[in-house]
mmCIF file of all heavy atoms in Angstrom:
data_model
loop_
_atom_site.group_PDB
_atom_site.id
_atom_site.type_symbol
_atom_site.label_atom_id
_atom_site.label_comp_id
_atom_site.label_asym_id
_atom_site.label_seq_id
_atom_site.Cartn_x
_atom_site.Cartn_y
_atom_site.Cartn_z
ATOM 1 N N ALA A 1240 5.540 29.313 9.305
ATOM 2 C CA ALA A 1240 6.774 29.436 8.524
ATOM 3 C C ALA A 1240 6.526 30.311 7.308
ATOM 4 O O ALA A 1240 5.430 30.390 6.772
ATOM 5 C CB ALA A 1240 7.228 28.043 8.089
ATOM 6 N N VAL A 1400 5.732 1.124 -23.779
ATOM 7 C CA VAL A 1400 5.094 1.321 -22.460
ATOM 8 C C VAL A 1400 4.116 2.458 -22.580
ATOM 9 O O VAL A 1400 4.359 3.451 -23.195
ATOM 10 C CB VAL A 1400 6.175 1.628 -21.403
ATOM 11 C CG1 VAL A 1400 5.490 2.114 -20.108
ATOM 12 C CG2 VAL A 1400 7.029 0.427 -21.117
ATOM 13 N N ASP A 1405 -0.847 12.488 -15.067
ATOM 14 C CA ASP A 1405 -0.610 12.875 -13.690
ATOM 15 C C ASP A 1405 0.140 11.833 -12.885
ATOM 16 O O ASP A 1405 -0.049 11.679 -11.699
ATOM 17 C CB ASP A 1405 -1.937 13.182 -12.999
ATOM 18 C CG ASP A 1405 -2.673 14.358 -13.646
ATOM 19 O OD1 ASP A 1405 -2.106 15.474 -13.648
ATOM 20 O OD2 ASP A 1405 -3.740 14.140 -14.221
ATOM 21 N N ILE A 1521 -1.745 -6.882 3.693
ATOM 22 C CA ILE A 1521 -0.674 -7.844 3.824
ATOM 23 C C ILE A 1521 0.436 -7.204 4.678
ATOM 24 O O ILE A 1521 0.978 -6.169 4.319
ATOM 25 C CB ILE A 1521 -0.097 -8.248 2.485
ATOM 26 C CG1 ILE A 1521 -1.174 -8.594 1.443
ATOM 27 C CG2 ILE A 1521 0.894 -9.384 2.641
ATOM 28 C CD1 ILE A 1521 -1.962 -9.833 1.804
ATOM 29 N N ASP A 1532 -5.360 -18.481 -4.116
ATOM 30 C CA ASP A 1532 -6.367 -17.448 -4.229
ATOM 31 C C ASP A 1532 -6.725 -16.955 -2.852
ATOM 32 O O ASP A 1532 -7.309 -17.685 -2.034
ATOM 33 C CB ASP A 1532 -7.621 -17.988 -4.938
ATOM 34 C CG ASP A 1532 -7.355 -18.262 -6.438
ATOM 35 O OD1 ASP A 1532 -6.474 -17.638 -7.023
ATOM 36 O OD2 ASP A 1532 -8.057 -19.157 -6.965
ATOM 37 N N PHE A 1558 3.733 -16.823 13.450
ATOM 38 C CA PHE A 1558 5.180 -16.664 13.581
ATOM 39 C C PHE A 1558 5.547 -16.792 15.021
ATOM 40 O O PHE A 1558 4.694 -16.683 15.896
ATOM 41 C CB PHE A 1558 5.654 -15.313 13.004
ATOM 42 C CG PHE A 1558 4.996 -14.128 13.669
ATOM 43 C CD1 PHE A 1558 5.547 -13.547 14.813
ATOM 44 C CD2 PHE A 1558 3.787 -13.657 13.230
ATOM 45 C CE1 PHE A 1558 4.958 -12.484 15.403
ATOM 46 C CE2 PHE A 1558 3.165 -12.564 13.863
ATOM 47 C CZ PHE A 1558 3.741 -11.950 14.926
#
Side-chain angles (χ1 to χ4, degrees):
V1400 169
D1405 299 296
I1521 313 294
D1532 290 333
F1558 57 92

